[in-house]
Amino acid sequence: MIKIENDLILLKRKLKKHQTDFNKNPHNWGFIGDLEYVSNEIDEVVKFLR
C-alpha cells in the first residue's frame, strides 16, 4: 500500500509537469491523448478494486 501511495504522489507531480508542458504548446493534442489514456487505465484499476 505504501508503494501505491508513493506512486500516486509521483503521478500528481508528473500530471502537474504534463500540464505545464501542455500550456507551453496547447496545439499539441498529444497531451490530451496522454491524459485520456491515463484516465482509462485509472478507471480499470478502480473497477478492479471494487
Side-chain angles (χ1 to χ4, degrees):
M1 190 166 148
I2 292 170
K3 182 195 179 315
I4 293 170
E5 289 172 345
N6 288 333
D7 287 345
L8 291 171
I9 292 167
L10 179 60
L11 177 61
K12 189 170 185 175
R13 278 192 225 131
K14 288 182 178 257
L15 284 170
K16 285 181 182 181
K17 181 177 182 327
H18 193 272
Q19 183 64 45
T20 299
D21 292 344
F22 172 73
N23 290 342
K24 292 177 186 174
N25 187 6
H27 301 291
N28 182 346
W29 285 81
F31 291 106
I32 295 167
D34 292 347
L35 295 181
E36 179 69 20
Y37 175 79
V38 170
S39 178
N40 289 336
E41 294 298 304
I42 291 171
D43 287 345
E44 289 300 315
V45 171
V46 169
K47 288 175 190 173
F48 178 78
L49 291 175
R50 284 190 185 160

